Amino acid sequence: MTKRTRSAEQQLADEADRKAQNPIGARQTIADSHADPEFQENHKRLRAERLARDAGLTSKN
């Protein structure tokens, strides 16, 4: 038996459903090994700032 193919409309609808269910996972990410050093430094700094901010919010509650 041959495998039934999906139409372009069905594929787009499926992709939209996946993005709606997991918007963060649907984003394109850059692997750390492929990122520029400046990007890596900035990413680490922003992550540390976010974690510190989140820790400050949770300790106040």
Side-chain angles (χ1 to χ4, degrees), residues 27-41:
R27 293 182 188 162
Q28 181 179 5
T29 59
I30 298 173
D32 289 337
S33 61
H34 292 97
D36 293 330
E38 297 84 13
F39 174 84
Q40 291 177 353
E41 291 171 11

Side-chain angles (χ1 to χ4, degrees), residues 5 9-10 13 18 21 23-24 27 44 54-55 59:
T5 59
E9 292 83 14
Q10 289 172 324
R18 281 193 301 273
Q21 292 174 2
I24 294 174
R27 293 182 188 162
K44 288 177 186 177
D54 290 348
S59 65

Side-chain angles (χ1 to χ4, degrees), residues 3-15 18:
K3 191 175 184 180
R4 190 175 141 224
T5 59
R6 299 180 300 152
S7 68
E9 292 83 14
Q10 289 172 324
Q11 291 176 9
L12 289 174
D14 290 344
E15 184 177 349
R18 281 193 301 273

